[in-house]
Amino acid sequence: MDNELVLWIYDFSEAEWVDALMVFFSSWGYKAMIALFFLLIFAKKTRKLGIAAIAASLMGLVISRAIRWIAPRERPFVALEEITPLIEKEASASFPSEQALFVGIFIALVWMIGSRFRWIGVLLGVIILISRVYLGHHYVSDVLIGAGLGGFLFATLYNLSNTQQSLRLEKEKSLTS
């Protein structure tokens, strides 16, 4: 089924403007998200979000690289002769997608912030995920697992930091009472 989904999404690559849009989102979207993670550290109000996002990124990369080393999976443009990547890419392992990892962290972050722009952030993330498949670099399962891993790690680390802070405050309150 993964092969059929990749071929179906890849078949949309007949319009040059769509190709250009997907190349842009695939090339720059995740970089902008990583930059945002670092920018969040500078404001006291968003520092915990930034730290959790960076920590989730680092943990996710370690986990992703371990999975790629243990069970390497060929990229669609290597495994399927019908696919020619729209951006040149080395034929390294594709599962899970590391760019999708950052997108999953970003989607979880904007969801937890809960701003009125949450859906724009989610839509942007989904476009980037689709672009990775559209370019022929990943299977749908690569991006779904990568994004799920990123979102899970971010939510877990952020909630752990909030739990530890709550426990610390309760302990301080009980000592002063």
Side-chain angles (χ1 to χ4, degrees), residues 47-171:
R47 187 167 292 138
K48 282 190 345 186
L49 290 167
I51 291 170
I54 292 168
S57 297
L58 294 173
M59 287 179 67
L61 286 172
V62 168
I63 292 168
S64 172
R65 300 277 165 95
I67 292 170
R68 287 175 173 213
W69 183 72
I70 293 168
R73 179 183 191 183
E74 289 184 325
R75 292 189 180 272
F77 67 83
V78 174
L80 304 170
E81 62 185 42
E82 301 94 342
I83 294 182
T84 304
L86 296 178
I87 299 176
E88 287 301 316
K89 178 88 174 157
E90 66 181 67
S92 58
S94 72
F95 180 82
S97 168
E98 291 176 349
Q99 287 188 16
L101 171 86
F102 300 121
V103 172
I105 293 167
F106 174 77
I107 289 173
L109 189 149
V110 297
W111 197 262
M112 289 178 117
I113 290 173
S115 96
R116 62 178 184 245
F117 301 111
R118 152 190 321 185
W119 288 107
I120 294 171
V122 171
L123 178 63
L124 177 65
V126 169
I127 291 170
I128 294 169
L129 294 176
I130 291 169
S131 77
R132 302 302 297 151
V133 177
Y134 184 91
L135 295 178
H137 291 190
H138 287 285
Y139 293 97
V140 172
S141 60
D142 296 347
V143 297
L144 291 177
I145 297 298
L149 175 64
F152 171 77
L153 288 172
F154 173 78
T156 301
L157 292 173
Y158 184 71
N159 287 330
L160 274 174
S161 71
N162 282 342
T163 302
Q164 287 177 344
Q165 183 179 8
S166 296
L167 290 173
R168 201 173 324 122
L169 289 173
E170 286 179 28
K171 184 177 179 183

Side-chain angles (χ1 to χ4, degrees), residues 20-76:
L21 193 65
M22 290 297 170
V23 166
F24 173 79
F25 277 110
S26 186
S27 299
W28 293 102
Y30 79 101
K31 292 173 186 169
M33 290 173 183
I34 293 170
L36 172 70
F37 301 161
F38 283 100
L39 287 174
L40 289 172
I41 291 175
F42 293 113
K44 188 174 184 175
K45 186 177 179 180
T46 59
R47 187 167 292 138
K48 282 190 345 186
L49 290 167
I51 291 170
I54 292 168
S57 297
L58 294 173
M59 287 179 67
L61 286 172
V62 168
I63 292 168
S64 172
R65 300 277 165 95
I67 292 170
R68 287 175 173 213
W69 183 72
I70 293 168
R73 179 183 191 183
E74 289 184 325
R75 292 189 180 272

